Amino acid sequence: MKTDVLIIGGGVTGLFTAVSLLEQGCRNIVIIEKSYIGSGGTFRCATGIRASFTSREHVNVMKRAIDLWPEYARKLGFLYRRDGYLWVLTRERDVEFFKQVVEFHHSLGVPSRMISPEEVREIVPSINTNGILAAVYDPLAGKAQVFNAVLNAVIHLKRNNINVYEGMRALKISDEGSRIVVETNKGRVEADKVIVAAGKDSANLLKGLGVELPIHNLAKHVLITEAFKPVIKPLIIDWSSSSYILQVFHGNIYIGSDIPEKYDEPAVNKYMFLEKAAKVWTRYFPWLGEVYVLRYWTGYYDMTPDHHPIIGPLEENENILVAAGFSGHGFMMAPAVAEALTQYILGGKPTIPEFENLKPDRFKKGKLIKEIAVFG
Amino acid sequence: MNVGIDPRKVIVCRCENVTLADVLNAIESGLDNLEVLKRKLRIGMGQCQGQTCLLLVAGILARKTGKSFDEVLIPRNRPPISPVKVKYFIGDER
């Protein structure tokens, strides 16, 4: 099989990049996915979207993504809404820290603000604010429907005769001068350009070319409850326990909570997670105790040393591009990443200059991304 | 499928109110495995966690696509299998 652009990885990054390339008139694209569409981090994710970060790179890339999300929602037909993010703070030192964070946000035009427990109750009427000293509210943040975003992208691509192959695993990438050759479990694919957007597998694939990508999987745990009418608008983070809660568009309540995990250990269900999630969130929402848990699943964050993604062409071969190591932020960033990859593929530079700081060679050159303060 | 029955009136998933017509349309749009059909239609994601609908949809999918039943991916069961109230996970704090 021959193509202009081969995308390895059928997650939100790969699929949105194909949509973006198609829009720019590039029609000869093939996408291969080792399992089923969205089966990695994409379909496990919380679907939150925000620009309230602590590095210039994250803020500016996410602001661009937030500009583009409504366009994708309209074009592909899925829900996206700016329902906000809320960090609830229960320790004095966290309040002091977040004052600096808010100041940083304002310097880059992100409209977050410190609010009182009373204002928290106005935004989330059913919350018990006992113990909350203050909160940070980001009204620009929001959420999107992940299943429709991704599956409608697949339907859109198939209608435009772009092949999306599931169950097709890339095994080896080789540079054969004028073309890039990718061996798969279902034969060979030759392409002018290859985009590797395959999470931690991206590192394994590129190792064969002598390129080291420092990506490690970190297990994460989430549960979802039965569905209700809207009761919680923003995504809420309990900062002191590294836990979050949001109500997805369908009405189910989605809870994530950190429990101790080590890099590259397999993600397995642990009772400790259910216990922590239940304890943290029934304190804020006593009624939650009566709500039924339907499912508990695990997934991975594909982490890099500076917790920022690796995006852009390889220094060794600019016909091979990477988009991996999103460290838990791949879904929210996808429209901006798709745009930047499209601009690289078409021979240009990304609209958002900070993308250039995310290139794969930054580790080798010791140019890691710096944050104003390390989160977590 | 069955002559004389309007697929729009045949309920395949009672929890999420999905009809046979929804399933057939989704398959026709190119979503041809159970994992993606589940997420497009929400079959298997409701209160019963797929105890009725998943096998039904797997059967429809196998017939429509000519795939064998084994080839049609059956989504993984997730704990707690049957719904359990959040309060039962809090533990004993006395």
Side-chain angles (χ1 to χ4, degrees):
Chain A
M1 186 161 48
K2 286 186 181 176
T3 182
D4 292 347
V5 182
L6 172 67
I7 299 175
I8 302 173
V12 67
T13 302
L15 293 164
F16 276 21
T17 301
V19 169
S20 167
L21 282 164
L22 179 64
E23 194 113 304
Q24 295 303 313
C26 177
R27 311 193 69 86
N28 200 356
I29 308 166
V30 169
I31 300 158
I32 64 173
E33 161 56 48
K34 71 170 177 181
S35 180
Y36 58 92
I37 288 303
S39 58
T42 296
F43 279 169
R44 297 162 201 263
C45 84
T47 72
I49 296 164
R50 64 181 161 118
S52 27
F53 279 88
T54 53
S55 74
R56 173 175 286 275
E57 286 76 11
H58 259 153
V59 170
N60 285 340
V61 165
M62 296 299 185
K63 277 173 70 182
R64 181 63 188 154
I66 287 173
D67 283 344
L68 294 170
W69 270 108
E71 290 179 26
Y72 273 78
R74 230 181 355 257
K75 186 164 53 195
L76 299 175
F78 62 86
L79 294 175
Y80 160 72
R81 209 164 56 209
R82 291 177 190 162
D83 279 345
Y85 259 55
L86 196 60
W87 282 263
V88 295
L89 310 174
T90 52
R91 300 177 299 204
E92 274 309 333
R93 67 170 190 274
D94 298 336
V95 178
E96 289 312 306
F97 168 64
F98 269 90
K99 280 180 186 162
Q100 294 171 47
V101 171
V102 165
E103 209 169 291
F104 178 73
H105 290 165
H106 290 177
S107 75
L108 293 173
V110 174
S112 66
R113 62 178 195 266
M114 274 286 180
I115 62 171
S116 67
E118 291 70 38
E119 288 169 288
V120 169
R121 261 199 306 277
E122 278 168 33
I123 296 167
V124 188
S126 66
I127 196 168
N128 169 10
T129 52
N130 283 350
I132 298 179
L133 299 176
V136 171
Y137 182 55
D138 173 11
L140 181 65
K143 62 193 174 198
Q145 282 180 313
V146 61
F147 299 141
N148 281 339
V150 168
L151 295 176
N152 291 357
V154 172
I155 293 168
H156 171 75
L157 292 169
K158 287 188 174 177
R159 269 194 204 128
N160 283 281
N161 300 314
I162 289 175
N163 286 317
V164 181
Y165 295 100
E166 292 174 283
M168 191 159 166
R169 180 191 288 268
L171 302 170
K172 185 170 183 269
I173 304 176
S174 12
D175 178 4
E176 296 199 351
S178 59
R179 314 213 86 188
I180 313 294
V181 175
V182 176
E183 307 283 349
T184 79
N185 62 336
K186 293 184 178 170
R188 216 175 120 95
V189 187
E190 291 180 25
D192 293 337
K193 307 260 186 188
V194 173
I195 297 173
V196 187
K200 195 196 165 185
D201 285 352
S202 311
N204 306 337
L205 278 168
L206 291 171
K207 205 173 269 174
L209 291 168
V211 177
E212 290 288 334
L213 297 183
I215 301 177
H216 296 284
N217 276 343
L218 186 60
K220 293 283 168 180
H221 304 253
V222 289
L223 67 81
I224 203 153
T225 73
E226 58 189 322
F228 293 93
K229 285 184 178 174
V231 280
I232 303 174
K233 259 182 90 171
L235 186 151
I236 307 172
I237 297 158
D238 178 50
W239 184 251
S240 70
S241 70
S242 269
S243 304
Y244 62 95
I245 190 167
L246 89 153
Q247 190 174 18
V248 299
F249 281 99
H250 190 66
N252 315 74
I253 293 167
Y254 180 117
I255 297 177
S257 196
D258 276 356
I259 55 172
E261 291 287 359
K262 291 196 181 84
Y263 277 169
D264 298 326
E265 286 197 353
V268 290
N269 292 331
K270 293 176 180 172
Y271 191 81
M272 189 201 299
F273 159 70
L274 290 166
E275 194 170 344
K276 183 177 174 188
K279 269 187 187 163
V280 168
W281 292 107
T282 51
R283 194 156 50 79
Y284 290 115
F285 298 104
W287 50 266
L288 191 64
E290 299 300 322
V291 170
Y292 284 97
V293 176
L294 295 187
R295 285 191 300 283
Y296 160 23
W297 69 89
T298 56
Y300 295 110
Y301 278 12
D302 51 337
M303 304 296 295
T304 64
D306 58 10
H307 301 183
H308 279 64
I310 306 169
I311 298 166
L314 295 183
E315 195 184 30
E316 295 81 356
N317 185 336
E318 61 176 27
N319 293 324
I320 301 173
L321 297 93
V322 184
F326 285 93
S327 308
H329 306 131
F331 180 71
M332 58 175 91
M333 205 185 285
V337 174
E339 180 183 63
L341 290 173
T342 300
Q343 288 165 329
Y344 280 127
I345 294 262
L346 300 178
K349 293 244 178 212
T351 308
I352 305 299
E354 280 81 8
F355 268 109
E356 303 271 24
N357 302 346
L358 301 175
K359 282 178 166 175
D361 55 17
R362 75 173 184 273
F363 303 102
K364 202 168 57 190
K365 293 178 175 163
K367 290 184 173 169
L368 271 63
I369 307 295
K370 289 189 181 66
E371 301 191 62
I372 59 154
V374 178
F375 257 59
Chain B
M1 208 131 286
N2 289 338
V3 182
I5 297 175
D6 182 352
R8 288 171 302 179
K9 290 183 179 159
V10 179
I11 302 290
V12 174
C13 165
R14 290 178 294 198
C15 300
E16 298 285 343
N17 201 19
V18 180
T19 66
L20 178 59
D22 295 331
V23 175
L24 296 174
N25 289 341
I27 295 171
E28 233 133 74
S29 74
L31 304 180
D32 58 1
N33 70 63
L34 208 49
E35 292 281 6
V36 299
L37 283 175
K38 167 184 161 185
R39 290 165 177 88
K40 182 68 189 158
L41 302 172
R42 305 198 63 87
I43 45 166
M45 295 173 89
Q47 208 77 3
C48 89
Q49 291 289 288
Q51 290 180 31
T52 311
C53 59
L54 279 181
L55 285 176
L56 276 175
V57 177
I60 297 166
L61 187 59
R63 282 197 298 275
K64 279 291 278 186
T65 58
K67 288 181 185 177
S68 75
F69 202 78
D70 290 342
E71 280 176 283
V72 180
L73 282 171
I74 300 286
R76 191 175 298 182
N77 283 330
R78 301 286 188 189
I81 309 294
S82 289
V84 174
K85 283 185 176 178
V86 171
K87 67 179 178 189
Y88 295 121
F89 296 119
I90 295 173
D92 193 353
E93 283 194 315
R94 280 173 295 177

